[in-house]
Amino acid sequence: LGFVNGLAIVMTKAQLTHFSDPVTGTFLKGAKGATMFGLTAASMIFMKALPRLTKAIPASLGTIVLVTAISKGFNLPAKTLIDIAGAETFRGGLSILPSLSIPAIPFTLKSLGIIFPYALTMATVGLIESLLTLQLVDGMVEDGRRGSTSKECRGQGLGNFFSGLTGGMGGCALIGQSLMNVESGGSKRLAGISMSLALGTGIVAAAPLLGQIPIAALVGIMLLVCQQTFNWSSLRLFGKIPKLDTAIIVLVSWITVVEDLAQAVVAGTIMS
């Protein structure tokens, strides 16, 4: 519970940074501020309303399309993905596809000693978040089956290995994306495969178009994901469960927010 709640707070803090001026650090004002707040609110409204109107398209996809159309149709001063990541990121084309190569580092014990602590931390956090996501999805999908934790771990390890050979970063299962996927009806392997193919095709063939998506559209979606990720029922447990359990929940949540997920899990495990 502490891990989930802390993660929800961390994700919320990450979204709130988009409401501030990167130069002054204060909240956005004027037309830019009104646009950011307005489009974010619209995004959240669409996410709630679209599932009641149609199940033909995922609510998140429909929300992004509608918010982008509003932004472009009214020529609003909205910050877009291309403003955040840069034009080079969204240039598209086959030239952006990576090539396989061995990392250019000396294969010595000294190199291993430098890399190992970071690798261990990333692997620990990644596995914990992936297995936690698997547990949440199992609770949402009532099909009488449980996900395989061993397959999840092996698949993540192989994926990150080959990601490194292409110059990519390591990753793990995403709670937010998984929640949106399941709520849109995607609960099978085909859903993940389709997402990967669509994302890869979009980056290659439609990157400039994707770069025009207002960041407010994604912030609104993610704020709702944060609200769903936070275990609100855990607040009602305070006073009903042993004080040690309450202290562990608070401690893990706090360390997750101020430090990182790996330290939070280690501290919670030792304390329990």
Side-chain angles (χ1 to χ4, degrees):
L1 292 178
F3 182 86
V4 172
N5 292 347
L7 187 60
I9 296 172
V10 170
M11 291 192 298
T12 301
K13 288 177 61 179
Q15 307 313 309
L16 295 180
T17 59
H18 297 292
F19 292 93
S20 61
D21 189 307
V23 178
T24 64
T26 59
F27 278 115
L28 293 171
K29 300 177 181 179
K32 289 185 177 180
T35 298
M36 184 65 195
F37 283 98
L39 291 181
T40 300
S43 175
M44 298 174 75
I45 292 172
F46 291 147
M47 279 291 292
K48 291 291 187 180
L50 285 177
R52 301 179 182 180
L53 300 176
T54 178
K55 298 289 186 180
I57 60 172
S60 55
L61 177 60
T63 295
I64 291 174
V65 171
L66 288 173
V67 173
T68 303
I70 292 173
S71 175
K72 295 302 178 183
F74 290 94
N75 196 26
L76 300 176
K79 185 184 298 183
T80 63
L81 290 179
I82 204 168
D83 296 327
I84 300 293
E88 181 64 19
T89 304
F90 291 96
R91 61 187 173 89
L94 294 176
S95 62
I96 68 170
L97 294 177
S99 58
L100 290 173
S101 62
I102 301 296
I105 61 171
F107 290 91
T108 62
L109 289 177
K110 182 178 180 181
S111 298
L112 181 62
I114 296 173
I115 296 171
F116 182 75
Y118 299 100
L120 180 62
T121 300
M122 290 183 65
T124 301
V125 173
L127 287 173
I128 291 172
E129 184 168 353
S130 293
L131 295 179
L132 177 62
T133 301
L134 179 63
Q135 183 181 26
L136 291 176
V137 171
D138 278 340
M140 296 174 64
V141 180
E142 299 178 357
D143 58 359
R145 297 185 299 175
R146 310 294 291 180
S148 172
T149 55
S150 61
K151 287 183 178 179
E152 187 74 24
C153 294
R154 291 198 301 269
Q156 181 170 304
L158 288 172
N160 283 332
F161 175 80
F162 285 104
S163 175
L165 294 180
T166 60
M169 291 169 40
C172 63
L174 299 176
I175 290 181
Q177 183 173 311
S178 300
L179 290 177
M180 287 187 288
N181 194 40
V182 173
E183 289 177 351
S184 300
S187 59
K188 306 297 182 182
R189 293 176 180 146
L190 183 60
I193 295 173
S194 300
M195 186 281 296
S196 300
L197 292 175
L199 182 60
T201 303
I203 292 175
V204 173
L209 183 62
L210 295 177
Q212 299 305 312
I213 296 175
I215 195 68
L218 305 180
V219 170
I221 294 172
M222 284 305 302
L223 287 177
L224 288 179
V225 169
C226 295
Q227 180 263 327
Q228 293 173 322
T229 302
F230 192 92
N231 195 315
W232 298 97
S233 62
S234 64
L235 300 179
R236 296 194 296 269
L237 296 176
F238 290 174
K240 299 179 182 179
I241 59 177
K243 293 182 179 179
L244 177 60
D245 291 344
T246 301
I248 292 175
I249 292 175
V250 174
L251 175 68
V252 173
S253 299
W254 181 74
I255 296 179
T256 300
V257 174
V258 301
E259 296 294 341
D260 59 55
L261 304 179
Q263 294 186 44
V265 173
V266 171
T269 302
I270 293 175
M271 189 172 180
S272 61

